């Protein structure tokens, strides 16, 4: 039986090629993802280890026992650390966000990777100077070599930067080399002299960290123990350099987790779609060899032997696909690293990592998926009685089997719809995610089972259009419904891909419009000023904006912790006299009046405390002082405005270090390019500060949503490619099965163009059938997901992107036409007499 199986594989190489390609693509994506993430993680781990070569033990402040304020690392504590037995040296480190502008004025890097710090003395062992010298005074900085290369800055150039708002201008005194993992990840590191860094980062006279280097022969653990004895345990926390390196490597690698999961999910979808192609292929191969298998049964082969024979064929196909997919995946992994680098994501240098786990995963996925998909056709073939098989009595499914299939499909679909509808009524989106996912899976399974039943009425709906093409159109429709199960399996592959694409598009379009509507409805200000990285603004920014020519009203939004009724609550300090002109928030109870001890509260917060207009409550500020406040009004909050709003003169005296999340600005003449330029000029064209009008906010959200969708479209394109291979394979094998029929059609007058047209229209009908099902399911899932989003986003409304839906239908039609090119050409080139004689 094994020799027979091997012979069958070799005899059907061309037909199995599409199956191999489908599995190969999925395996290549899986292995490529693992190679890419393992390579980058290993490179970061090595880079992080190098970055902490000069740190054997790190000393950081811990929270004091009497209050929540962190202890200070003073110069006296630095001396004690340096004098500890086993310590060769100790230096104080200060760091914080520092936005550096490139020569074009745009910020270099983004987010937490953009850092500043202090250069210790004139020869900091952490940062070897390669050009120039150490910074001397507030007017000089040194920058890392990677940033210098990206920006083109050289020693002696003037650079502009910002720490928390105000613009600083300094001279590049030197360029240093570093193995810091954040810099390797595409960030930047700007260093000042210690006194300047302490002043800029709000730690005058103290340090954020003390880094201790061990004497030769002293281990990190021994130095850790010695420092634990010499330094006060209640004010400091000690960590070894090895632990710091591991933490940084894990932190950076964890940022790849979402990318890795997304890529693996896309690969899983492609493999799932591929199972339809594999099952379809083996179903048709087994059907074509029914008499052969029956003869083998007649001469003594058991059912198990027949099933094992089919599974062995699948094993060979899966093994070939897995091995070639693994090799292709290694190339994809290398290509992904190069692609990400070209898109601006800088990774540390390192070798390509192909771990044993990657090899095992590739082989296991490829072989198991193929064998699982082939098991049902093999089992079905083994159950056919030999005499029935020889007489082809098995060809038409029994009414009982079709009724059972349709009943099961209807039950699954109904159960899925019920679960999804129940999930949409849950108030908490987090709790509803699992039921929603379960319901979606049940619906997809149910619709797949029902697809043969659905194929007849839906394909019949295309009959009026197909009549335009005469006999070819009529034959195409009949061929499409001749074998409903095969048509269903072929269309389902495309259906799944378009379901996901359509569902995400519908939900994302609604979210995009909802946030844009929220911004336009609730913001009455012309501009919102904030830090580009989302951190806090210096209070100087609000003061400068308030004094800028043309500003009619402005207000910072200053956040602070407080304790109310034993629970932590955020207070937002705003200008009570100006905020009403800057925000348009509907009032549900009372009046929107802020001033003195009068505050306004959003509905959710008021409900949680049982407040109404006129209620009073006691708040404990961050400085532990208490005050009685009165609720003047209750407003309907949203994602941009929520919580308890307090007048700035009431809140600010209780803050040790005031900082603003954003500043709202209203101009005398409204928003304009000149007004925006004026505000940016007032802030010194700071690279760290973003000045946005309502359209900018909407455009930023739209850009993020579009970028996300484009990434998902690119990933799901793999599933669509596999679906195309499925259509090609199904048509090619269908043409082979219908060779005699095609020969007869040629004999009675249908020319080659008619044959080609027939096959192309059949492919087009099957593809559009899958697209209609997929788009219909996608719209339903998009609506359901939107219902969950609506619980968190009050302005959410269902928006059907008709333009994109039309593009998806056009894409499906294009898939159908392209997939039919080779099978149609093959059908038209069949020799008439040879085809008629085919059995």
């Amino acid at each position: 039986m094994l020799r027979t199986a091997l012979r069958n594989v070799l005899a059907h190489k061309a037909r199995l090629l599409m199956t191999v390609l489908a599995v190969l693509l999925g395996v290549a994506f899986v292995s490529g993802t693992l190679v890419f993430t393992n390579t980058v993680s290993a490179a970061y781990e090595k880079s992080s280890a190098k970055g902490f070569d000069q740190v054997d033990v790190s000393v950081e402040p811990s929270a004091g026992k009497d209050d929540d304020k962190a202890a200070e690392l003073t110069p006296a504590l630095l001396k004690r650390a340096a004098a500890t037995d086993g310590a060769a040296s100790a230096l104080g480190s200060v760091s914080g966000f520092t936005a550096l502008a490139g020569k074009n004025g745009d910020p270099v890097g983004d987010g937490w990777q953009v850092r500043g710090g202090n250069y210790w003395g004139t020869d900091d062992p952490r940062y070897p100077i390669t050009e120039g010298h150490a910074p001397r005074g507030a007017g000089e900085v040194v920058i890392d070599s990677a940033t210098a290369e990206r920006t083109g800055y050289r020693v002696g150039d003037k650079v502009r930067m910002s720490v928390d708002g105000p613009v600083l201008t300094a001279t590049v005194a030197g360029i240093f080399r570093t193995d810091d993992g954040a810099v390797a990840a595409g960030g930047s590191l700007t260093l000042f002299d210690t006194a300047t860094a302490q002043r800029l980062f709000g730690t005058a006279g103290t340090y954020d960290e003390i880094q201790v280097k061990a004497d030769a022969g002293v281990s990190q653990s021994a130095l850790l123990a010695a420092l634990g004895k010499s330094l006060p345990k209640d004010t400091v926390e000690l960590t070894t350099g090895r632990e710091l390196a591991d933490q940084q490597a894990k932190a950076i690698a964890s940022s790849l987790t979402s990318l890795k999961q997304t890529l693996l999910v896309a690969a899983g979808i492609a493999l799932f779609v591929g199972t339809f192609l594999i099952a379809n292929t083996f179903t048709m191969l087994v059907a074509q060899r029914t008499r052969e298998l029956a003869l083998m049964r007649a001469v003594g082969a058991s059912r198990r032997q027949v099933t094992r024979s089919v599974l062995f064929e699948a094993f060979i196909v899966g093994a070939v696909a897995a091995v070639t997919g693994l090799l292709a995946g290694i190339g994809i992994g290398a290509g992904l690293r190069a692609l990400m680098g070209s898109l601006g994501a800088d990774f540390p240098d390192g070798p390509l990592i192909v771990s044993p786990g990657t090899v095992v995963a590739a082989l296991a996925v490829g072989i198991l998926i193929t064998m699982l998909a082939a098991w049902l056709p093999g089992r079905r073939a083994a159950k056919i009685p030999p005499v029935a098989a020889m007489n082809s009595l098995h060809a038409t499914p029994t009414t009982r089997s079709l009724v059972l299939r349709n009943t099961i499909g209807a039950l699954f679909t109904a159960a899925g719809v019920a679960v999804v509808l129940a999930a949409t009524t849950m108030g908490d989106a987090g709790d509803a995610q699992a039921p929603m996912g379960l319901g979606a899976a049940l619906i997809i399974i149910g619709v797949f089972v029902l697809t043969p039943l659905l194929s007849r009425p839906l394909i019949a709906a295309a009959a009026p259009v197909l009549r335009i093409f005469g006999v070819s159109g009529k034959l195409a429709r009949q061929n499409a419904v001749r074998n409903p199960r095969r048509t269903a399996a072929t269309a389902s592959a495309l259906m799944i891909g378009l379901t996901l694409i359509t569902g995400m598009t519908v939900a994302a379009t609604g979210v995009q419009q909802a946030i844009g509507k929220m911004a336009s409805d609730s913001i009455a200000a012309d501009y919102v000023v904030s830090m580009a990285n989302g951190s806090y603004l210096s209070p100087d920014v609000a003061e400068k904006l308030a004094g800028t020519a043309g500003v009619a009203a402005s207000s910072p939004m200053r956040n602070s912790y407080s304790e109310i009724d034993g629970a932590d609550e955020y207070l937002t300090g705003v200008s009570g006299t100006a905020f009403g002109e800057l925000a348009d928030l509907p009032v549900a109870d009372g009046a929107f009046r802020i001033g003195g001890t009068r505050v306004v509260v959003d509905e959710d917060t008021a409900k949680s405390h049982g407040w109404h207009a006129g209620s009073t409550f006691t708040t404990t500020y961050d400085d532990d002082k208490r005050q009685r406040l009165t609720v003047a009004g209750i407003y309907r909050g949203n994602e941009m405005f929520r919580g308890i709003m307090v007048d700035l003169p009431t809140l600010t005296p209780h803050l040790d270090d005031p900082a603003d999340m954003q500043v709202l600005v209203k101009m005398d003449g409204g928003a304009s390019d000149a007004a925006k330029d004026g505000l940016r000029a007032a802030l010194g064209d700071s690279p760290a500060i973003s000045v946005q009008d309502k359209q900018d906010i909407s455009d930023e959200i739209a850009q993020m949503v579009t970028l996300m969708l484009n990434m998902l479209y690119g990933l799901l394109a793999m599933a669509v490619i596999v679906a195309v291979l499925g259509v090609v394979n199904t048509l090619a094998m269908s043409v082979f099965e219908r060779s005699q029929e095609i020969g007869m059609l040629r004999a009675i007058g249908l020319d080659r163009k008619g044959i080609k047209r027939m096959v192309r229209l059949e492919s087009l009908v099957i593809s559009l059938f899958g697209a209609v099902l997929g788009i219909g399911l996608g719209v339903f899932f998009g609506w359901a997901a939107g219902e969950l989003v609506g619980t968190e986003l009050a302005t959410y409304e269902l928006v059907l992107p008709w333009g994109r839906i039309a593009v998806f239908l056009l894409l499906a039609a294009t898939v159908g036409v392209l997939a039919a090119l080779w099978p149609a050409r093959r059908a038209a080139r069949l020799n008439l007499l040879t085809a008629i004689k085919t059995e």
Side-chain angles (χ1 to χ4, degrees), residues 301-634:
S302 66
R303 288 185 176 181
R304 288 185 178 180
Q305 285 179 311
V306 171
T307 303
R308 283 200 296 265
S309 173
V310 176
L311 289 178
F312 183 67
E313 294 180 39
F315 173 81
I316 295 173
V317 171
V320 171
V323 171
T324 51
L326 174 61
L327 296 176
I330 294 172
I332 288 176
L336 276 174
R337 185 168 66 169
L339 175 63
M340 297 294 283
S342 66
L343 294 176
D346 294 329
F347 299 123
D349 293 331
L352 207 62
I353 304 297
V354 184
S355 67
T358 300
V359 176
V360 171
L363 294 177
V365 166
I367 293 172
L368 289 178
I369 289 291
T370 307
M371 292 185 70
L372 285 174
W375 174 76
L376 188 59
R379 183 172 176 271
R380 188 184 299 131
K383 291 176 67 176
I384 300 172
V387 175
M390 289 181 182
N391 288 280
S392 299
L393 297 178
H394 66 288
T396 305
T398 63
T399 303
R400 179 183 175 186
S401 69
L402 291 175
V403 170
L404 179 63
R405 175 175 179 139
N406 294 337
T407 302
I408 293 174
L411 290 175
F412 267 87
T413 304
V417 170
V419 172
V420 168
L421 292 178
T424 60
T425 61
M426 294 183 177
D428 192 319
D431 294 338
Q433 287 180 1
M436 182 74 74
L438 174 63
L442 290 174
I443 290 174
I444 289 177
I445 293 171
V447 172
F448 168 67
V449 174
L450 284 174
T451 306
L453 177 66
L454 298 173
S455 64
R456 290 188 179 277
L458 289 179
I459 292 177
V465 178
L466 293 175
R467 287 197 190 100
I468 299 173
F469 300 96
V471 175
S472 296
K474 182 177 180 181
L475 291 172
R477 181 181 64 80
Q478 293 175 344
N479 290 332
V481 297
R482 174 184 296 181
N483 191 332
R485 295 191 182 195
R486 182 186 303 169
T487 298
T490 305
S492 295
L494 193 58
M495 176 192 78
I496 292 171
L498 285 177
T499 295
L500 296 172
I501 291 173
T502 305
M504 289 184 296
T505 302
V506 170
T509 303
V511 169
Q512 178 179 326
Q513 179 166 302
I515 297 179
K517 187 174 186 295
M518 180 192 301
S520 61
D521 289 352
S522 60
I523 299 177
D526 295 314
Y527 294 102
V528 177
V529 180
S530 60
M531 289 291 284
N533 73 327
S535 63
Y536 289 99
L537 286 164
S538 165
D540 295 346
V541 173
E543 294 176 8
K544 288 185 177 181
L545 290 172
T548 301
V551 173
S554 68
S555 171
M557 297 187 68
R558 187 167 296 168
N559 288 351
S560 172
Y561 283 109
S562 71
E563 185 178 319
I564 301 171
D565 298 335
D568 290 335
E569 292 284 0
Y570 261 116
L571 300 179
T572 301
V574 298
S575 172
T577 57
F579 197 76
E581 300 179 55
L582 302 169
D584 186 8
L585 300 172
V587 178
D589 186 18
F592 199 94
R593 294 194 184 96
I594 304 172
T597 59
R598 292 180 304 177
V599 301
V600 294
V601 185
D602 72 287
E603 284 182 314
D604 292 340
T605 304
K607 184 178 180 181
S608 66
H609 289 280
W611 296 337
H612 54 80
S615 296
T616 60
F617 62 91
T618 300
T619 182
T620 302
Y621 292 107
D622 202 30
D623 61 356
D624 293 332
K625 293 184 179 179
R626 298 161 63 88
Q627 187 174 25
R628 195 76 177 168
L629 301 176
T630 301
V631 178
I634 297 173

Side-chain angles (χ1 to χ4, degrees), residues 142-394:
V142 291
I143 61 176
D144 66 271
S145 56
T147 298
E149 184 177 351
R150 288 198 299 269
T151 60
Y153 283 130
R154 295 291 178 262
V155 174
D157 288 348
K158 294 289 185 180
V159 295
R160 295 170 54 255
M161 68 198 76
S162 176
V163 172
D164 59 359
V167 174
L168 307 172
T169 302
T171 301
V172 177
I175 295 173
F176 63 89
R177 177 175 51 81
T178 179
D179 292 312
D180 186 284
V183 174
S188 66
L189 184 59
T190 306
L191 302 180
F192 309 85
D193 70 274
T194 300
T196 301
Q198 288 175 323
R199 175 176 56 82
L200 290 174
F201 301 129
T203 58
T206 62
Y207 309 103
D208 295 333
E209 179 186 12
I210 294 174
Q211 299 177 353
V212 187
K213 181 70 176 173
D215 275 325
V218 178
S219 67
Q220 291 187 354
S221 57
L223 180 59
L224 181 74
L227 288 169
K229 295 177 181 178
S230 66
L231 300 181
K233 296 180 181 179
D234 59 339
T235 59
V236 298
E237 293 180 358
L238 305 178
T239 311
T240 64
R242 188 177 300 107
E243 291 173 334
L244 289 175
D246 291 342
Q247 289 171 10
Q248 187 182 72
K250 289 178 181 177
I252 297 175
S254 67
S255 65
L256 296 172
T257 301
S258 58
L259 174 62
K260 180 178 181 179
Q261 291 175 345
T262 303
L263 291 172
L264 288 176
V265 167
I269 293 171
L271 285 169
F272 181 61
V273 172
T275 57
F276 293 102
L277 169 56
I278 299 165
N280 227 9
T281 301
F282 277 92
T283 298
M284 288 185 284
L285 286 175
V286 168
Q288 292 170 9
R289 291 161 38 208
T290 300
R291 292 189 180 183
E292 173 191 329
L293 294 176
L295 182 60
M296 294 175 67
R297 289 286 313 281
V299 296
S302 66
R303 288 185 176 181
R304 288 185 178 180
Q305 285 179 311
V306 171
T307 303
R308 283 200 296 265
S309 173
V310 176
L311 289 178
F312 183 67
E313 294 180 39
F315 173 81
I316 295 173
V317 171
V320 171
V323 171
T324 51
L326 174 61
L327 296 176
I330 294 172
I332 288 176
L336 276 174
R337 185 168 66 169
L339 175 63
M340 297 294 283
S342 66
L343 294 176
D346 294 329
F347 299 123
D349 293 331
L352 207 62
I353 304 297
V354 184
S355 67
T358 300
V359 176
V360 171
L363 294 177
V365 166
I367 293 172
L368 289 178
I369 289 291
T370 307
M371 292 185 70
L372 285 174
W375 174 76
L376 188 59
R379 183 172 176 271
R380 188 184 299 131
K383 291 176 67 176
I384 300 172
V387 175
M390 289 181 182
N391 288 280
S392 299
L393 297 178
H394 66 288

